[in-house]
Amino acid sequence: MAVLTLALKTLRHRKAAFAGAFVTLLCAAALITACGMLLETGLRGRVAPERYAGAPVVVAGDQYVHQTVHKSNGKTKHKAKPIAERAWIPSSLTQTLRRSAGVREVVAEVTFPVGTSGGQAQGHGWDSAALTPFTLASGRAPKTAAEVVVDARSGARAGTRLRILTPAGAATYRVSGVTRQALPTQHTLFFAPAEARRLAGRPGQVSAIGVFPKTGERPGLAAALRGTRAREYTGEARGAVEFLDAEQARVKLVSLGGALGGTSLLVAILVVAGTFALSIQQRQREIALLRAVAATPKQLRRLLGGEALVTAVAAGAAGSAAGIALGFWLRSRFVALGAVPEHLRLVVSPFPAFAALLATVLAAWTAARLSARRAARVRPVEALGEAALPTARLPWPRLVAGLLATAAAVVLTLVLSTLSTEAASSPVTMLTALMWTVAVSLLGPLPARAAAALLTLPLRVSRTAGHLAAANLRTGSRRLASVVTPLCLLVAMACTILFVQTTMGHAAQREVAAGSRADYVLGPQVPGSAARSLRGRPGVEAVTEVLHTSVRVGLTKYGAQAVTTEGLMRTTDLGVVAGSLRDLGKDSMAVSENAADRLGVSVGDTVRLTLGDGTPATLKVAALYTRGLGYGDLTLSHALVAPHVDNPMGPLYVAAPGLTRAELSALVAAVPSVTVMDHARAVAASAPDAEVNYVAMGLIIAFSAIAVINTLGMSTADRSRELALLRLVGTTRRQVLRVLRLEALAALAIATVLGTGIALLTLTAFATGMTGSPLPYIPPLTYLGVLAPTAALALTATALPARLALRQRPAEAIGGRQ
């Protein structure tokens, strides 16, 4: 208790010194809390049903692919992974369920995408309106194939005509009625039952069946569902089967929250350790005096640990509260980017906040104890001498730890160069950059000392300020290293995060540009009827329909494209190196070289896979190609895939050298929302959106920037006595500021070299594994966009506390430090 009381008094009289540690810990707690909220939402997030709100029980397809793994110890483990598309079920199951015990009524429904002038909507048959339920506010139910009922949100009136784009083509429908209701997050159109089944294009199948039990009875559906791929969903599980994007977003949030949270924690530990090390380094004279008046090493460690605990608890509590707001902001950004659906609500519980508080307290206490270990063990006389003139020797435990961190970074770099999937390489990429930064922070005084020696000559070009700056860098290598570390972290993390995305995007666009033979791209969603009509037009040589989906081989997901084979060689060159695309059909596929290596297959082999809606298929490998980044791991037949995706409409690649852009646009003018697209826009539409990663990892960059401000601010503020002495011996304010500016630029130069080197090592390994080329793509302007704000941040964080310190009279500043 006495030690805690002393720690509180120490903090009260050293508020400025502990402000940096407080801010760092607060930001760390906020970041970990927000990541924990994302992770918990992925694990426990639920979606309330909208379309199926009126059906107590919903029977729908199993949205997972399952696998039983047999372990070496004789035990088995069941694993399941979600599929990409909606799993449909046989319509004959409707009659079987109707005969089940306790069932009063069953209602089958089909769901398919439609496009209107108001945007995207979901189409259904009017016979399934009871699942919500929907009722009519005006007009009547659709009786003919040319009639449609719109929801209350559409703003249309009965009797008006709508041009609607459906998978079967574009057609004009008459509005026969308007519903009284509208769903919160989806537009709804109802067609005549027979017309809806025709437009869905799934004969003999339905997307779901609503089951209404008899009053007071629980329906017994187990016997009816036995031996089928259908499952029973009740309660909030109905929302999961209604909103498949929510379930897919949950999986993304688990991986994103885990990766971001883990990276945040590692960065926080590194930053917090550096902050406390700098704080204790600045208090060496105080610690030496305590040792001189008989304070034991144990008492000093308890004192410094108590200070860390008090600071961490206060900062952790405030940061956890701020982290909740940050979690909501992150979710709003992900919703705006389309990565998370609006109906997936953020889970708010005390667990992320408590975890962040615990992690912050442990990180602060451990960092303080480790940083204080050597300072507390030194003898009193040695402590006073070292406080007056800090030793240049690196402690051997720190040297050993630095060498081990370097070895670990080398191993991670080698491992990263062998990883060829984004799921495996993404976490290792961040960990590799962090491990190199840890090595730099541990061995920092060594490169700082060497760099200071190299910078002595150019600095001395400025006679007064340069001479003083060079002298300070030579004698203050430990202080220089403490400043270089956060700057190095900022440059390394920013470059790694930004240029991982540019490297992948550039490689994909380069492959698409090299493989594109089409003259035009039509999109974004073109029905098959438009493609068939174009093939017969004069001047059109070939039309390739393209769909993008994902399939699973075992439990592993592979990105796939489906293409029509007629005229494919005229529109697309996949870079075939074995086999032929002429053999591509409903029973075969082409495989990228990367995927073929992972699957261990070659031309002529067969692969058992699961299509996007859970349908199993066994396909023969017809060809191997090189351009997998641009065109996907697998290329399948359009005829095989189209009946197994939610939206069978996709872009068209058109070879029509005899037609102008205006002439081609006129040919598809009758199809709503279809335009002639640029090739680059088509590539961007089919590529994963990197903005989600930028938003998520941008928080790490922001945290690193805060660490830079804290470290530079603490380092400069601690030198008020030194600056006052310079003023007393005749140095002007302008000269003092110039000295500090030169020192900051020197630290920035060292950090830029080290941070860029770390990023290059990491990016080279990443590019080698993911693209097959050791050359990452680093846009010069983007790189300058990293360095310029970093330089401005470093100079500002140095100048502001220096100007505040120089406002004091020199005698007062020296007296206040005694």
Side-chain angles (χ1 to χ4, degrees), residues 5 35 112 141 146 170 195 205 212 249 312 341 353 398 468 486 503 534 544 560 631 635 640 729 815:
T5 303
C35 296
F112 53 94
E195 176 70 358
Q205 292 184 308
F212 296 84
R398 181 171 177 175
L468 290 173
T503 297
L534 275 177
T544 300
Y631 293 98
T635 297
L640 169 67
V729 297

Side-chain angles (χ1 to χ4, degrees), residues 142-170:
K143 294 182 178 179
T144 68
E147 294 180 331
V148 66
V149 169
V150 299
D151 63 19
R153 183 187 300 173
S154 68
R157 296 181 179 180
T160 59
R161 294 187 175 274
L162 295 179
R163 187 71 174 169
I164 300 175
L165 178 65
T166 72

Side-chain angles (χ1 to χ4, degrees), residues 151 257 316 357 375 427 441 483 508 602 669:
D151 63 19
L357 179 60
S441 67
V483 171
S602 58

Side-chain angles (χ1 to χ4, degrees), residues 492-519:
M493 295 302 294
C495 289
T496 301
I497 291 168
L498 291 174
F499 300 139
V500 157
Q501 305 298 332
T502 59
T503 297
M504 289 296 294
H506 180 72
Q509 290 196 7
R510 185 176 63 243
E511 289 189 0
V512 169
S516 178
R517 298 290 181 267
D519 299 297

Side-chain angles (χ1 to χ4, degrees), residues 152-480:
R153 183 187 300 173
S154 68
R157 296 181 179 180
T160 59
R161 294 187 175 274
L162 295 179
R163 187 71 174 169
I164 300 175
L165 178 65
T166 72
T172 301
Y173 291 83
R174 177 183 175 273
V175 177
S176 65
V178 180
T179 67
R180 184 172 285 105
Q181 300 81 13
L183 299 178
T185 62
Q186 51 187 308
H187 295 275
T188 310
L189 275 72
F190 291 100
F191 298 81
E195 176 70 358
R197 281 160 174 75
R198 182 187 75 83
L199 296 177
R202 297 283 191 105
Q205 292 184 308
V206 293
S207 54
I209 302 173
V211 179
F212 296 84
K214 294 179 179 178
T215 304
E217 296 188 35
R218 179 181 178 84
L221 309 180
L225 300 181
R226 188 175 298 118
T228 70
R229 292 184 59 232
R231 298 291 182 268
E232 178 182 351
Y233 301 89
T234 60
E236 288 188 341
R238 296 171 298 163
V241 75
E242 178 181 350
F243 297 108
L244 300 183
D245 56 346
E247 288 301 292
Q248 295 165 4
R250 285 181 55 194
V251 176
K252 290 180 182 178
L253 286 178
V254 170
S255 60
L256 183 63
L260 181 59
T263 305
S264 302
L265 184 58
L266 291 174
V267 172
I269 292 173
L270 179 61
V271 171
V272 168
T275 302
F276 274 96
L278 178 60
S279 176
I280 292 173
Q281 177 184 330
Q282 293 174 347
R283 298 173 61 187
Q284 281 188 341
R285 181 179 179 83
E286 175 187 328
I287 293 171
L289 289 173
L290 289 173
R291 289 288 288 125
V293 295
T296 65
K298 183 178 180 180
Q299 289 174 326
L300 282 176
R301 287 195 297 270
R302 291 179 62 185
L303 171 64
L304 296 173
E307 293 174 354
L309 285 177
V310 172
T311 306
V313 169
S320 297
I324 296 175
L326 181 60
F328 277 98
W329 180 83
L330 269 178
R331 178 193 172 274
S332 69
R333 293 306 308 146
F334 291 160
V335 169
L337 293 172
V340 174
E342 176 64 33
H343 36 261
L344 180 59
R345 301 299 177 184
L346 196 66
V347 175
V348 181
S349 77
F351 298 113
F354 282 134
L357 179 60
L358 180 61
T360 303
V361 169
L362 287 177
W365 184 82
T366 304
R369 297 278 292 196
L370 290 176
S371 300
R373 187 174 182 84
R374 181 172 181 272
R377 292 179 61 183
V378 71
R379 293 177 180 178
V381 177
E382 294 175 352
L384 287 172
E386 187 170 333
L389 184 61
T391 180
R393 182 170 54 87
L394 198 65
W396 71 264
R398 181 171 177 175
L399 179 62
V400 171
L403 293 176
L404 290 176
T406 303
V410 170
V411 171
L412 285 172
T413 304
L414 294 175
V415 170
L416 181 61
S417 66
T418 64
L419 300 178
S420 57
T421 63
E422 192 170 358
S425 64
S426 292
V428 178
T429 302
M430 293 297 103
L431 185 59
T432 302
L434 274 175
M435 190 54 66
W436 278 114
T437 308
V438 169
V440 167
S441 67
L442 290 170
L443 301 175
L446 298 179
R449 199 176 303 135
L454 291 175
L455 291 172
T456 297
L457 186 60
L459 283 174
R460 286 184 172 173
V461 173
S462 175
R463 295 183 57 184
T464 303
H467 178 81
L468 290 173
N472 287 336
L473 293 177
R474 284 199 313 273
T475 58
S477 59
R478 290 178 63 184
R479 182 178 61 206
L480 176 62

Side-chain angles (χ1 to χ4, degrees), residues 6-255:
L6 183 58
L8 289 172
K9 291 181 178 179
T10 307
L11 289 176
R12 192 180 304 120
H13 293 287
R14 295 182 61 89
K15 295 176 183 178
F18 286 94
F22 180 87
V23 173
T24 300
L25 292 169
L26 186 148
C27 294
L31 200 53
I32 295 171
T33 300
C35 296
M37 292 175 68
L38 295 181
L39 180 60
E40 189 175 15
T41 300
L43 293 173
R44 302 198 301 118
R46 294 292 182 268
V47 178
E50 294 179 4
R51 172 78 181 114
Y52 299 146
V57 180
V58 174
V59 173
D62 185 3
Q63 289 298 139
Y64 290 84
V65 58
H66 302 267
Q67 188 177 81
T68 300
V69 180
H70 299 277
K71 295 185 176 181
S72 57
N73 58 6
K75 295 182 179 180
T76 60
K77 184 177 182 180
H78 177 263
K79 293 185 177 182
K81 294 290 185 180
I83 54 179
E85 314 285 350
R86 183 177 300 278
W88 287 51
I89 55 179
S91 58
S92 59
L93 188 59
T94 305
Q95 298 302 323
T96 307
L97 291 172
R98 185 172 283 119
R99 295 190 295 268
S100 298
V103 174
R104 174 175 57 86
E105 184 58 71
V106 297
V107 176
E109 96 143 348
V110 294
T111 299
F112 53 94
V114 296
T116 67
S117 59
Q120 293 297 309
Q122 293 295 317
H124 311 279
W126 177 251
D127 55 341
S128 65
L131 295 177
T132 303
F134 276 95
T135 57
L136 287 171
S138 63
R140 57 173 175 79
K143 294 182 178 179
T144 68
E147 294 180 331
V148 66
V149 169
V150 299
D151 63 19
R153 183 187 300 173
S154 68
R157 296 181 179 180
T160 59
R161 294 187 175 274
L162 295 179
R163 187 71 174 169
I164 300 175
L165 178 65
T166 72
T172 301
Y173 291 83
R174 177 183 175 273
V175 177
S176 65
V178 180
T179 67
R180 184 172 285 105
Q181 300 81 13
L183 299 178
T185 62
Q186 51 187 308
H187 295 275
T188 310
L189 275 72
F190 291 100
F191 298 81
E195 176 70 358
R197 281 160 174 75
R198 182 187 75 83
L199 296 177
R202 297 283 191 105
Q205 292 184 308
V206 293
S207 54
I209 302 173
V211 179
F212 296 84
K214 294 179 179 178
T215 304
E217 296 188 35
R218 179 181 178 84
L221 309 180
L225 300 181
R226 188 175 298 118
T228 70
R229 292 184 59 232
R231 298 291 182 268
E232 178 182 351
Y233 301 89
T234 60
E236 288 188 341
R238 296 171 298 163
V241 75
E242 178 181 350
F243 297 108
L244 300 183
D245 56 346
E247 288 301 292
Q248 295 165 4
R250 285 181 55 194
V251 176
K252 290 180 182 178
L253 286 178
V254 170
S255 60

